[in-house]
Amino acid sequence: MADSTAEYIQHHLTNLTYGQHPDGTWGFAHSAQETAAMGFMSINVDSMGWSITLGLVFCCLFRIAAVTATSGVPGGLQNMVEMVVEFIDETTQSIFEYKNDLIAPLALTIFVWVFLMNAMDLVPVDWIPMLAQAVGVSHMKVVPTTDPNITMAMAFSVFGLIIYYSIKCKGLVGFLKELSFHPFPSVWAIPVNFVLEFVTLIAKPLSLGLRLFGNMYAGEMIFILIALMFGAGAVFFVFAGVLQWAWAVFHVLIITLQAFIFAVLTIVYMAQAHETNEH
């Protein structure tokens, strides 16, 4: 039972990975060991597929809402979209005091996209993997944000914008001076300042990506452990059903909160990038 339980958990936590095998051939990995052996020359097909699909769902929903928008009594989709847009816009205005038309759409995209990816955690853990196995696909992880490659890619994309706007708004010299003369405004403290500020700068993408990954991975693991209880007898079956429902209800808060935190921290970091001594 221990071996089957371990195999069940490992199977649900293993991505469908395509890459180069140690012998030089290309193909799908069929185990976690094969995935590890591929190293950098691989791609998690399920994470990429689901994240792109959910991004397209986001674009389509908002496009439909925009095309069908009416000044009369709005429909449910229009109400939902308007509520989300107004919420993110108000949040952005309360944090970001500068002129940049990119920030609010960026925050909106991050919030909705991350929410949709997180929401896949509410799909029962066996449904889609079992369907995938029925058509010959060995592994299928459906929650992209449980893959650190996805969360860190988004985090480093935001980090790239932080560096770009820091240099654009402060100038290269001003950006380097900020790293060298803060928090101690002394020439002798430049090495210490640079180390402290560089660590603070690098911590931004790490905090964004790893926080999201850690919370969603832990939530997925709990769903998997609850699913194991369904095969442990009638009493545990009933208890697992109640527990799964309760955790799903609570998890709605988690997936929303994690999307909101990612979007808000992005706005905060972008505001810091625009900040100058003249402001």
Side-chain angles (χ1 to χ4, degrees), residues 83-114:
M83 181 177 65
V84 172
V85 170
E86 289 175 6
F87 172 68
I88 295 299
D89 187 56
E90 290 174 0
T91 302
T92 303
Q93 290 181 17
S94 66
I95 300 173
F96 191 82
E97 302 175 352
Y98 307 90
K99 177 62 178 177
N100 190 330
D101 295 334
L102 173 69
I103 306 305
L106 174 65
L108 176 66
T109 300
I110 288 174
F111 176 75
V112 179
W113 196 12
V114 172

Side-chain angles (χ1 to χ4, degrees), residues 59-70:
C59 293
C60 289
L61 286 176
F62 275 62
R63 174 61 179 171
I64 292 171
V67 171
T68 60
T70 176

